[in-house]
Amino acid sequence: MSIQTILNRRFVFSIALVCASHGLAQESTSTPTATPSPYSAQTLTELKQLQQAALASDYAYRQVAHLSNNIGPRLTGSAQAQKAVEYVAAELKALGLEVQLEKVTVPHWVRGEETAALVEYPGMAEKTTQKIILTALGGSVATPASGLTAEVIVVRNFDELQSLGREKVAGKIVLFDYHFDKLMAVQGHGGEAYGEAVRYRGDGPSAAGKLGAVAALIRSVGGAEYRLPHTGQTNYAKDAPRIPAAAVTAEDADLLASLVPQGPVRMRLLLTPQQLPDAVSYNVIGDLKGSEHPEEVVIVSGHLDSWDLGTGAIDDGAGVAVSMQAANLIQQLHLRPKRTLRVVAWMNEENGLAGGKAYAEDHANDVANHFAAMETDGGAGHPLGINYSTKETKGLLEPVAKILQDSGAGILNFAEFAGGADLGPMTKLGVPGFSPIQDNRTYFHYHHTAADTLDKIVPRELAENAAVVAVTAYALANLEQPLPR
Amino acid sequence: MSIQTILNRRFVFSIALVCASHGLAQESTSTPTATPSPYSAQTLTELKQLQQAALASDYAYRQVAHLSNNIGPRLTGSAQAQKAVEYVAAELKALGLEVQLEKVTVPHWVRGEETAALVEYPGMAEKTTQKIILTALGGSVATPASGLTAEVIVVRNFDELQSLGREKVAGKIVLFDYHFDKLMAVQGHGGEAYGEAVRYRGDGPSAAGKLGAVAALIRSVGGAEYRLPHTGQTNYAKDAPRIPAAAVTAEDADLLASLVPQGPVRMRLLLTPQQLPDAVSYNVIGDLKGSEHPEEVVIVSGHLDSWDLGTGAIDDGAGVAVSMQAANLIQQLHLRPKRTLRVVAWMNEENGLAGGKAYAEDHANDVANHFAAMETDGGAGHPLGINYSTKETKGLLEPVAKILQDSGAGILNFAEFAGGADLGPMTKLGVPGFSPIQDNRTYFHYHHTAADTLDKIVPRELAENAAVVAVTAYALANLEQPLPR
């Protein structure tokens, strides 16, 4: 999940919780309607079959296990990302889908060495240093090959930085010590907490660079503290010098915030990432042709690329896996959607969105036939229901929510930017977007870290997500009327 | 806290919790006694003053902050360990204590590079590897300078290893995938959970080495999983080949346990620790002379060395800090103990116990004058009361427990090995040992990891520990009768 997704989604989960606590979803699913049912009786029966089959199946778990354990980290441009493209394409073919690899030109950034140490600080034992644990932000430029050494200054926010001015910032390493709001996150507002803090990851390096800083550090954006740095993309402004940028762990930020007021603190910093020439990669697209409206498409998707520190299990092997599972279950149960179900495994969500943009360009003439689009990119936590991007859609989703309520996922939540970042270019053109509402209370503990690994996924909860995705996608593919756009 | 301490203490905390839940401590503190009070009325008044002063003071927190933030990791033999010796000595002098540095010849092991990657495994993308996060165990020998590459096998326990036999083990890297029992730890039985799992850290490498393994890995011993490796000392058997030994994170152990049954898994492993020549270091000893029995000594202590990955805040800067605080408060309140209060900051608890052993040897002729000895080495979690090593001591501690109950620390718990590992040589000779009973439910999340940092200490809980330590030590120093030995 990238910055853009987060900023779009920040209120989604919290609103959903509010609805849940007031029992609004329950009420809404029982609202009587005078219009004919938007689904045939057969479709409703099939949706229940899909739900039960999803909850009983380990197919999605086996898919995410393969992506994370057997293939591993899948940073855009890497051999592992390519391997994942080939793997998912082969799996979708094995399911009987019509598979296309749609070419995407992607950025190719690679991590290098990343070390830091304090070489001067109050109380330091002579001829020693103190290790600082950090990780380069995605897109960061490198330090000189021999590293750089400079004094560290600490600011809590952009205002503090500005108040220091160029004189006190020039030549320094700036640490943005903005704290992720853990209390907010634990109450289900992780997206909001993340949205606040991630601004420093995105814009901090350029803000510091404009004042002459030689490097920028941020306090890791995330909710747990096990000396674990969290990476993620930074966004250099066009009018700012590009300076090396990294995220230190919460503990290291605390250490610096403690030492700096006591006297001069100097850090040696080495980052050797490289921006290689753009590479060729692919969105993997698998179609299960519709029986009545094959030209109309319902997308069900996740993103195949991941950050490189962990193995991309929750971000976003899980999303790809539940999308594959939707097609698998439909085939297993010998169902046939009326519209075409299109499974998409997007490339480059994390550091460029090249996949989503290329798809929108390549399919620009076919936007009207994109009936609906769904993306799962919030981990694998227990789903509470469905986010939808078009207010008028709610009534059409109520019969679906009634079924999903059986697995605790009956909430319907309007969210203007429902759907993932990859869908942004399409939803902006009017394609209705959908996504599962997911429990993200621990998501930001692991997100973009070395600890985004398979064990963070509870198989039962992944199956619950697969149920929401399969049921919703199949319902949309079989809806007996148009979706409001 | 070392293996030896853990094995001695493993039942202590759990027994204490049982007592608490049955209200036994409350009862015991109100048991009427026919004998004269073991403390003068003045002493009891002073104990209450000490308790209140400890709870109101941030001195202990400032000490552990300096040790962990300003000095940093303090592995035995390091410049930081020496700096810490000098710092504590100077602080104790500033408090008005008679300070001695007692020489200790210590082992000097240093960590080097430590990297590992899977170079062959089922599903691997060509020309890639998958990173394995690990850390060398203390005392480990190095791999060849260019590393070693071998097939990995996974066993759950010693029995599984033995059942494989030399034929299947020789030439391999053996992973002991024994799981720390997190459910046990979260219920307050962390010591027991640790005691079970740590056997593989201590004895695993030699067990594997005897069957011809080329290296041994253990699943990190600890209760949290944030891709965080836990170090700690390994103990090579005299009759076994010494093979390189490291702890992988729980996630990496899971990965290996998942991949190995699918097909051959080969790992490239590089560990470059060095066992340097023994070094000279010191126990720091500060005496506050007794007014009536200056020759009789009550030790209050923690260990000054730490592992090198974190900054040794909970293990055991906290123990040193609360011991220093005991002396500080007595001086601040202008009290004078009847027996000599001896603050000791031990050296080399973690990887050799050289400090505790040297002290026992150097003071062999003076054991009888060691009235009591206390060590705090279980972190800085809320204290529940006092562990004591001599059953007959209980009645004498009851007036103290009654006072400590005001800060929730009124439990008295008999534990044969009360006191820390450093006190072992003295308690074996009959010196009564004491330690605070500490909440260790999260201790093993951070213990021996890079995340043993200052933020893990809750200032209020540290102050509560200081209150227990100061009150108990001062009570022992002013006891009006001998302690049973």
Side-chain angles (χ1 to χ4, degrees):
Chain A
M1 182 183 275
S2 66
I3 296 183
Q4 187 169 335
T5 309
I6 294 291
L7 294 177
N8 291 349
R9 288 244 198 116
R10 48 207 285 204
F11 298 105
V12 170
F13 190 73
S14 51
I15 293 169
L17 284 185
V18 170
C19 295
S21 66
H22 289 79
L24 297 179
Q26 302 273 23
E27 287 167 31
S28 66
T29 55
S30 58
T31 305
T33 169
T35 56
S37 170
Y39 307 96
S40 70
Q42 188 186 336
T43 296
L44 291 173
T45 300
E46 289 169 350
L47 292 179
K48 287 177 196 168
Q49 290 174 347
L50 277 169
Q51 178 185 39
Q52 293 311 313
L55 294 173
S57 168
D58 68 350
Y59 175 88
Y61 189 76
R62 284 186 284 113
Q63 296 309 316
V64 67
H66 190 89
L67 289 171
S68 55
N69 282 355
N70 294 83
I71 295 176
R74 302 174 300 280
L75 187 59
T76 293
S78 66
Q80 292 94 332
Q82 177 59 27
K83 182 83 172 180
V85 163
E86 293 161 12
Y87 172 76
V88 172
E91 289 293 311
L92 294 180
K93 271 182 200 154
L95 295 180
L97 274 58
E98 288 180 25
V99 176
Q100 303 287 336
L101 299 187
E102 292 195 353
K103 188 174 158 183
V104 185
T105 301
V106 293
H108 190 190
W109 178 87
V110 293
R111 190 175 301 284
E113 286 181 86
E114 39 194 32
T115 60
L118 303 185
V119 296
E120 179 187 343
Y121 58 96
M124 185 180 77
E126 273 182 45
K127 299 182 183 171
T128 67
T129 61
Q130 192 166 167
K131 188 174 185 174
I132 295 292
I133 298 178
L134 48 64
T135 193
L137 295 183
S140 174
V141 298
T143 62
S146 58
L148 61 82
T149 300
E151 189 175 341
V152 179
I153 59 172
V154 180
V155 298
R156 291 290 288 241
N157 51 46
F158 289 122
D159 289 346
E160 271 191 34
L161 178 77
Q162 295 306 328
S163 73
L164 291 177
R166 171 169 282 273
E167 194 181 330
K168 290 183 179 160
V169 174
K172 309 279 175 45
I173 297 171
V174 175
L175 167 65
F176 291 95
D177 188 29
Y178 186 91
H179 290 233
F180 178 88
D181 192 329
K182 292 187 284 184
L183 293 178
M184 199 180 268
V186 81
Q187 292 172 75
H189 297 249
E192 283 165 284
Y194 193 77
E196 286 302 317
V198 81
R199 294 185 298 139
Y200 294 89
R201 193 184 81 205
D203 302 334
S206 287
K210 283 180 184 174
L211 294 175
V214 295
L217 306 176
I218 61 160
R219 184 186 180 98
S220 280
V221 181
E225 284 155 16
Y226 285 81
R227 207 91 185 259
L228 186 66
H230 296 231
T231 191
Q233 189 72 357
T234 192
N235 301 317
Y236 290 124
K238 284 181 182 162
D239 60 345
R242 297 187 167 213
I243 61 175
V248 299
T249 75
E251 288 91 341
D252 291 277
D254 284 348
L255 177 68
L256 290 164
S258 157
L259 293 177
V260 164
Q262 298 179 39
V265 174
R266 290 173 64 78
M267 180 186 290
R268 186 175 63 226
L269 174 66
L270 175 69
L271 301 173
T272 66
Q274 292 178 73
Q275 191 75 46
L276 301 177
D278 285 355
V280 171
S281 189
Y282 304 93
N283 292 324
V284 183
I285 307 217
D287 281 358
L288 190 55
K289 284 291 177 196
S291 57
E292 293 184 12
H293 309 287
E295 75 289 358
E296 294 188 7
V297 169
V298 172
I299 288 177
V300 53
S301 66
H303 68 83
L304 197 48
D305 65 303
S306 75
W307 281 107
D308 55 333
L309 298 174
T311 60
I314 62 170
D315 191 10
D316 182 33
V320 172
V322 297
S323 302
M324 294 168 76
Q325 171 70 309
N328 172 56
L329 293 172
I330 291 169
Q331 297 289 62
Q332 289 270 314
L333 295 173
H334 304 294
L335 308 181
R336 184 85 190 270
K338 292 176 179 174
R339 295 179 185 84
T340 292
L341 185 90
R342 174 167 292 171
V343 178
V344 184
W346 304 102
M347 184 50 62
N348 188 228
E349 193 272 350
E350 293 295 2
N351 58 339
L353 286 175
K357 291 173 187 166
Y359 184 91
E361 284 170 23
D362 293 348
H363 297 263
N365 294 332
D366 198 31
V367 171
N369 275 325
H370 280 73
F371 187 79
M374 189 163 196
E375 183 167 10
T376 301
D377 185 20
H382 169 71
L384 300 170
I386 309 169
N387 294 308
Y388 59 95
S389 69
T390 314
K391 271 194 181 156
E392 300 73 13
T393 303
K394 189 176 183 188
L396 299 177
L397 289 174
E398 283 171 358
V400 181
K402 198 169 174 183
I403 291 169
L404 292 178
Q405 182 56 38
D406 284 350
S407 55
I411 293 174
L412 293 175
N413 178 63
F414 168 67
E416 193 177 347
F417 301 99
D422 298 293
L423 299 178
M426 295 297 278
T427 55
K428 273 182 199 151
L429 297 174
V431 177
F434 300 86
S435 56
I437 306 166
Q438 296 176 289
D439 178 354
N440 67 6
R441 285 174 299 166
T442 64
Y443 182 69
F444 296 106
H445 290 194
Y446 306 118
H447 165 264
H448 295 194
T449 75
D452 176 1
T453 47
L454 183 64
D455 53 292
K456 305 312 179 304
I457 294 178
V458 178
R460 169 73 189 184
E461 295 182 356
L462 184 73
E464 290 170 352
N465 278 292
V468 170
V469 168
V471 167
T472 306
Y474 191 74
L476 292 166
N478 288 274
L479 189 64
E480 303 289 344
Q481 58 191 83
L483 266 179
R485 290 175 88 107
Chain B
M1 182 184 276
S2 64
I3 295 183
Q4 186 169 337
T5 310
I6 293 289
L7 294 178
N8 291 348
R9 287 244 197 113
R10 50 206 286 205
F11 298 104
V12 171
F13 191 73
S14 51
I15 292 168
L17 284 184
V18 170
C19 295
S21 65
H22 290 79
L24 297 178
Q26 301 274 22
E27 287 169 31
S28 64
T29 56
S30 59
T31 305
T33 166
T35 55
S37 171
Y39 308 96
S40 71
Q42 187 186 336
T43 295
L44 291 172
T45 300
E46 291 169 347
L47 292 178
K48 288 176 195 168
Q49 291 173 346
L50 277 170
Q51 179 185 37
Q52 293 310 312
L55 294 174
S57 168
D58 69 350
Y59 175 88
Y61 189 76
R62 286 187 283 112
Q63 296 310 316
V64 66
H66 189 89
L67 290 171
S68 54
N69 282 355
N70 295 82
I71 295 176
R74 303 174 299 282
L75 187 60
T76 294
S78 67
Q80 291 95 331
Q82 177 59 26
K83 182 85 173 178
V85 163
E86 292 161 11
Y87 172 76
V88 172
E91 289 294 310
L92 294 180
K93 270 181 202 156
L95 295 180
L97 273 57
E98 288 180 24
V99 175
Q100 304 288 336
L101 299 187
E102 292 194 353
K103 187 174 157 182
V104 186
T105 301
V106 293
H108 190 190
W109 179 87
V110 294
R111 189 176 302 282
E113 287 181 87
E114 38 196 30
T115 60
L118 303 186
V119 295
E120 178 187 344
Y121 58 96
M124 183 180 79
E126 272 183 44
K127 297 183 184 169
T128 67
T129 60
Q130 193 165 166
K131 189 175 184 173
I132 294 293
I133 299 180
L134 48 64
T135 194
L137 295 182
S140 174
V141 297
T143 61
S146 58
L148 61 82
T149 301
E151 188 175 342
V152 180
I153 58 172
V154 180
V155 297
R156 292 290 290 240
N157 52 46
F158 289 122
D159 288 345
E160 272 191 33
L161 178 76
Q162 295 307 327
S163 73
L164 290 177
R166 171 170 279 271
E167 193 180 333
K168 290 181 177 161
V169 173
K172 308 280 173 47
I173 297 172
V174 174
L175 167 64
F176 291 94
D177 188 29
Y178 187 92
H179 290 234
F180 179 87
D181 191 330
K182 293 187 284 185
L183 293 178
M184 199 180 267
V186 82
Q187 293 173 73
H189 297 250
E192 283 165 284
Y194 194 76
E196 286 301 317
V198 82
R199 293 184 298 140
Y200 294 89
R201 193 184 81 205
D203 303 332
S206 287
K210 283 181 186 174
L211 294 175
V214 294
L217 307 175
I218 61 160
R219 184 186 180 99
S220 280
V221 181
E225 284 155 17
Y226 285 82
R227 208 90 186 258
L228 187 64
H230 296 232
T231 190
Q233 190 71 357
T234 191
N235 301 318
Y236 290 123
K238 285 182 182 161
D239 59 345
R242 296 186 167 214
I243 61 175
V248 299
T249 75
E251 287 91 340
D252 291 277
D254 283 348
L255 177 67
L256 289 165
S258 157
L259 292 179
V260 164
Q262 298 179 41
V265 174
R266 290 173 64 80
M267 179 185 288
R268 186 176 61 228
L269 174 67
L270 175 69
L271 301 173
T272 65
Q274 293 178 72
Q275 190 75 46
L276 301 177
D278 285 354
V280 172
S281 189
Y282 304 93
N283 292 324
V284 183
I285 306 215
D287 280 357
L288 190 55
K289 283 291 176 196
S291 58
E292 293 184 13
H293 308 287
E295 75 289 0
E296 293 188 8
V297 169
V298 173
I299 288 177
V300 53
S301 65
H303 67 86
L304 196 48
D305 67 304
S306 76
W307 280 107
D308 56 333
L309 299 175
T311 61
I314 62 171
D315 190 12
D316 183 34
V320 172
V322 297
S323 302
M324 293 168 76
Q325 171 72 308
N328 172 57
L329 293 172
I330 290 168
Q331 296 290 63
Q332 289 271 314
L333 295 173
H334 306 292
L335 308 181
R336 184 84 188 271
K338 292 177 179 172
R339 297 180 183 84
T340 292
L341 186 88
R342 174 166 293 171
V343 178
V344 184
W346 303 102
M347 184 51 61
N348 188 230
E349 193 271 352
E350 293 295 2
N351 57 338
L353 286 174
K357 290 174 188 167
Y359 184 90
E361 283 170 23
D362 294 349
H363 296 264
N365 295 333
D366 199 30
V367 171
N369 274 326
H370 280 72
F371 188 79
M374 190 164 195
E375 182 165 13
T376 301
D377 184 21
H382 169 69
L384 299 172
I386 310 169
N387 294 309
Y388 58 95
S389 70
T390 314
K391 271 194 182 157
E392 300 74 12
T393 302
K394 189 176 184 188
L396 299 177
L397 290 174
E398 282 173 359
V400 180
K402 199 168 173 182
I403 291 168
L404 292 178
Q405 183 56 39
D406 284 351
S407 56
I411 292 175
L412 294 175
N413 178 61
F414 168 66
E416 193 177 347
F417 299 100
D422 298 293
L423 299 178
M426 295 297 277
T427 54
K428 273 184 199 151
L429 296 174
V431 176
F434 300 85
S435 56
I437 307 166
Q438 297 176 290
D439 179 353
N440 67 6
R441 285 175 299 165
T442 63
Y443 181 70
F444 296 105
H445 291 192
Y446 305 119
H447 165 267
H448 295 195
T449 75
D452 177 1
T453 48
L454 184 63
D455 54 292
K456 305 312 180 301
I457 294 178
V458 177
R460 169 75 189 180
E461 294 181 358
L462 185 73
E464 290 170 352
N465 278 293
V468 171
V469 167
V471 166
T472 306
Y474 190 74
L476 292 167
N478 287 274
L479 189 65
E480 302 289 344
Q481 58 190 82
L483 265 181
R485 291 174 87 108

